Amino acid sequence: MEQILFTEQAPTRTLTLPNGKEACMSYREECGAALLTVTVAYTGAFGMGERYNALNQKGHTVVNRVEEHFCFQGEHTYCPAPFFWTDSGLGLYVDTDRETSFEFGEDSIRISMPTGTQVIIFTGAPAEMIQGYQALFGPVKLPPRWAFGPWISANRWNTQAEAEAQLEKLTAEGFPATVLVLEAWSDEATFYIWNGAKYTPVSGGAPLRYEDFDFSSSPWPDPKGMVNKLHERGLHLVLWQIPVYKQLGPDEEPNEQNALDRADVELRGLGVHNADETPYTIPEGHWFAGSMIPDYTNPETVKSWFSKRRYLLDMGVDGFKTDGGEFIYSPAALFHDGTSGLEGKNRYAQSYTSAYSNFLGKNKVLFSRAGYTGAHTTPIHWAGDQQSQNTELKSALTAGLSAALTGIPFWSFDIAGFAGPLPSLDLYRRATQLACFCPVMQWHSEPDGGQFKELMPGGEGNNERSPWNMAAAYHEPGFTAEMRFWHWLRINLMPYLWSVAQDCAESGRPMMRPPVYEWPEDPQAVACDDAFLLGDALLVAPLLNEGRISRSVYLPAGAWVGLFDCAHYEGGQSVEAGGDGKIPVFLRAGHGVALDLGGKQTLGMPLERGSAEGG
């Protein structure tokens, strides 16, 4: 790793790369901006955060900017990073929170950045360059073991009765799960009080305790008892969060606690602010317009914000789903630490998740959409919102692989998409099989009355993406049993997943590793953008097209064995695999996979209760 501050007095630098080739860098300033040109022979450029458009960014211009973009993200991203590496052994990090642009040309890379920006150069193998980048921000944080079991989620679960009904459905349908996510749990005004709870509002930023609430007329009559019941059944509870002091709309019921909290923000300056010290608010036309934004660079904000949420941890909540974080739209916005919206546009998302991660401590989980440099220190991340279409499945996979090549080891996506009409059974099948081999396996869906109300025939107004609802909607009862196999296979894989996760935390290696990560000298591995190693042992080749039951898979050098059919293959060639209703997965020779079979001898079979809890 070499730190370089280019100036007009020192505008050039030449580096010799591990392969003996050279990288030449030239710098110039014009119109208050800086342009760094890196001339290097390369075939692929990887990283740049979670990118949906392509895994290899050669031929693309990539803008380093946090953005909220609902579905079909394309060139947009919730989680960028001004860091890339190439198959030629050169990596580069532009040390700025401000917007930058990277033009990956045929034989040169042009970087537009603020003047006075330090550039950090890495050379070596992909793992070495990624580890060098990670070391700038701190070690990988390891989620708890139970986070690697199946997750269940649906925005429509808005009562305790509905949430607890999921326990009965899991039992009735014979499915395992280790995490239940609730999005529609709060009052939608403060986002820290259970909906319908009665209490005496408090002023001055004072927190409420669990004992201060009367839940007798709430749709959540005993949330602490519900948490205990979930824990008894081996499930852990994750609650949705959003970083706003909400501006209630004209059609929403007034909320005194919301008003008191907003008054406290103005009085004590706890929010992001404007030059005249008035609170910065989200502009019209954006999600949560008019809302104030907590300033997590202010220690008093952090203290106040999390004191109000402490009772949730005290009652046994196991983590938070930190949505949003892309709310800085004005470069004139100001923060407590002296930075402006020019930096905050990107940095805010990471300060938000970092604050939550610090609050949660160990043995809890964070599940975040947005982030920035250092995102590996605040896992887990998920790919945001996609519609239930095949192109979106490929987009999500690309996002996960590019995130992995930016050093983000723990990642997830919503099985078969979160939004729109129900996915086809074929899309749901292929997405479930892919998710089974991703760091986190989760199904989730938008509200029944959300932006897409049109449902496939048979949905009966229920937009839930549970396997049993999919089976009912399409009148295919056998589909539930088919999906049950993959959820229990996930439980079978838990020992292996946990060992890989621990190695990730120790070594910085991502769980998902596209072939270029291991074989950057192999042109076919560099070109492969739709398969990945899960840890060292398993090569996973998702089926991404409707109706596809097999596909061509490039197997790098070495010997490989089909996980499901035990067929033997020699590497260094492409083979046609699949056709048995299962995603092509290969075991790498010389490696083993620890499994929990519960005394059974067959993959995907239900285990005794307790084996599915995931630790």
Side-chain angles (χ1 to χ4, degrees):
M1 182 172 69
E2 182 178 2
Q3 300 180 10
I4 304 173
L5 179 60
F6 287 97
T7 67
E8 291 188 304
Q9 288 72 42
T12 62
R13 178 66 64 93
T14 299
L15 290 176
T16 300
L17 302 179
N19 59 11
K21 296 181 179 179
E22 290 187 340
C24 302
M25 288 169 274
S26 61
Y27 174 90
R28 62 184 173 88
E29 297 178 7
E30 58 180 35
C31 302
L35 179 66
L36 177 66
T37 300
V38 182
T39 302
V40 62
Y42 74 108
T43 303
F46 306 94
M48 296 303 300
E50 185 183 49
R51 294 288 167 179
Y52 301 78
N53 64 322
L55 183 62
N56 182 353
Q57 293 298 335
K58 186 171 184 177
H60 297 269
T61 297
V62 182
V63 179
N64 182 58
R65 179 174 59 227
V66 171
E67 293 182 89
E68 180 207 346
H69 192 85
F70 184 74
C71 303
F72 303 106
Q73 280 77 24
E75 304 288 339
H76 307 278
T77 180
Y78 308 101
C79 190
F83 163 72
F84 71 88
W85 56 270
T86 69
D87 61 310
S88 61
L90 173 71
L92 188 147
Y93 167 61
V94 179
D95 188 11
T96 181
D97 294 335
R98 296 196 178 195
E99 184 175 308
T100 50
S101 177
F102 297 73
E103 181 182 339
F104 294 96
E106 182 60 33
D107 55 9
S108 67
I109 301 164
R110 293 162 54 90
I111 305 168
S112 178
M113 60 189 186
T115 58
T117 299
Q118 182 172 259
V119 173
I120 299 176
I121 303 296
F122 309 93
T123 59
E128 295 172 320
M129 292 185 282
I130 293 172
Q131 288 162 357
Y133 164 74
Q134 291 172 325
L136 298 174
F137 307 98
V140 170
K141 184 174 182 180
L142 178 65
R145 188 180 191 275
W146 49 260
F148 298 96
W151 293 39
I152 65 172
S153 178
N155 194 284
R156 66 189 302 271
W157 301 338
N158 57 8
T159 68
Q160 182 172 336
E162 185 65 40
E164 292 183 351
Q166 305 315 310
L167 295 175
E168 306 314 313
K169 289 180 180 179
L170 287 168
T171 299
E173 301 292 348
F175 277 71
T178 60
V179 178
L180 183 144
V181 181
L182 291 178
E183 292 201 347
W185 68 277
S186 80
D187 57 8
E188 297 292 318
T190 67
F191 299 108
Y192 61 83
I193 297 173
W194 292 86
N195 192 27
K198 295 179 180 178
Y199 56 96
T200 300
V202 293
S203 60
L208 289 159
R209 303 167 303 161
Y210 187 81
E211 293 76 16
D212 296 326
F213 297 107
D214 174 3
F215 298 103
S216 60
S217 58
S218 168
W220 308 92
D222 182 14
K224 189 172 183 179
M226 177 186 70
V227 173
N228 291 337
K229 185 179 293 187
L230 289 170
H231 288 172
E232 290 170 1
R233 298 284 290 273
L235 276 85
H236 301 77
L237 180 62
V238 171
L239 298 181
W240 188 83
Q241 290 283 273
I242 195 75
V244 299
Y245 301 101
K246 188 178 179 180
Q247 172 64 58
L248 296 176
D251 298 330
E252 294 183 274
E253 183 178 344
N255 182 286
E256 185 178 352
Q257 190 61 60
N258 167 272
L260 290 169
D261 288 348
R262 286 173 61 89
D264 184 53
V265 172
E266 292 197 60
L267 178 66
R268 295 200 284 154
L270 301 180
V272 180
H273 58 280
N274 301 313
D276 61 1
E277 299 298 326
T278 59
Y280 163 83
T281 57
I282 300 173
E284 289 299 321
H286 295 284
W287 199 26
F288 290 101
S291 297
M292 303 175 190
I293 304 300
D295 181 356
Y296 295 107
T297 73
N298 185 342
E300 287 301 309
T301 303
V302 173
K303 180 179 177 181
S304 171
W305 184 266
F306 292 109
S307 70
K308 300 174 187 299
R309 290 156 175 80
R310 170 56 62 184
Y311 84 93
L312 296 169
L313 298 192
D314 292 342
M315 63 178 279
V317 170
D318 299 290
F320 292 109
K321 181 177 183 177
T322 37
D323 206 349
E326 312 92 347
F327 295 139
I328 305 302
Y329 298 101
S330 170
L334 296 173
F335 293 80
H336 178 80
D337 68 356
T339 56
S340 73
L342 290 171
E343 296 84 14
K345 176 69 177 173
N346 288 330
R347 177 47 55 185
Y348 186 82
Q350 195 59 34
S351 68
Y352 162 43
T353 58
S354 294
Y356 266 86
S357 183
N358 292 336
F359 172 59
L360 286 170
K362 295 182 178 180
N363 302 317
K364 304 284 185 181
V365 75
L366 197 65
F367 197 52
S368 305
R369 181 173 78 174
Y372 193 58
T373 52
H376 61 278
T377 66
T378 58
I380 300 167
H381 292 266
W382 98 93
D385 302 331
Q386 285 85 46
Q387 288 193 38
S388 296
Q389 298 187 20
N390 281 291
T391 56
E392 291 273 70
L393 179 61
K394 177 61 166 69
S395 173
L397 174 62
T398 300
L401 297 182
S402 62
L405 296 184
T406 313
I408 298 173
F410 308 117
W411 173 91
S412 175
F413 72 104
D414 297 338
I415 289 174
F418 151 91
L422 291 179
S424 69
L425 292 183
D426 185 66
L427 171 56
Y428 192 91
R429 171 187 296 112
R430 290 178 286 105
T432 297
Q433 294 180 6
L434 167 58
C436 183
F437 295 94
C438 287
V440 168
M441 179 183 189
Q442 180 200 238
W443 44 264
H444 177 54
S445 56
E446 66 172 344
D448 291 343
Q451 299 182 55
F452 298 88
K453 300 181 180 64
E454 312 86 3
L455 301 176
M456 301 296 283
E460 297 180 351
N462 184 344
N463 197 36
E464 185 177 291
R465 263 64 167 170
S466 63
W468 41 89
N469 189 56
M470 292 293 300
Y474 285 96
H475 307 290
E476 292 285 350
F479 188 72
T480 305
E482 184 183 348
M483 293 303 97
R484 187 183 299 119
F485 170 91
W486 297 100
H487 287 73
W488 281 108
L489 177 59
R490 181 71 179 195
I491 296 300
N492 297 153
L493 289 168
M494 283 285 282
Y496 177 68
L497 294 167
W498 180 235
S499 68
V500 173
Q502 290 175 296
D503 174 68
C504 289
E506 294 172 2
S507 68
R509 297 191 297 169
M511 291 188 74
M512 300 170 72
R513 304 166 193 169
V516 66
Y517 181 90
E518 294 276 354
W519 296 277
E521 72 291 340
D522 182 341
Q524 293 192 68
V526 174
C528 180
D529 64 357
D530 60 357
F532 59 92
L533 285 173
L534 176 62
D536 289 325
L538 296 177
L539 178 66
V540 182
L543 300 168
L544 299 173
N545 299 312
E546 191 75 14
R548 180 63 62 86
I549 60 173
S550 66
R551 57 163 288 181
S552 176
V553 183
Y554 177 67
L555 299 177
W560 302 85
V561 178
L563 179 66
F564 300 113
D565 62 7
C566 297
H568 290 254
Y569 303 88
E570 284 301 318
Q573 63 172 329
S574 294
V575 301
E576 188 71 16
D580 57 356
K582 295 182 176 67
I583 182 174
V585 181
F586 304 86
L587 178 64
R588 190 177 177 183
H591 296 78
V593 176
L595 298 171
D596 177 8
L597 297 177
K600 301 179 184 296
Q601 301 300 314
T602 306
L603 293 173
M605 294 293 290
L607 309 185
E608 296 295 326
R609 180 164 300 282
S611 298
E613 294 179 6

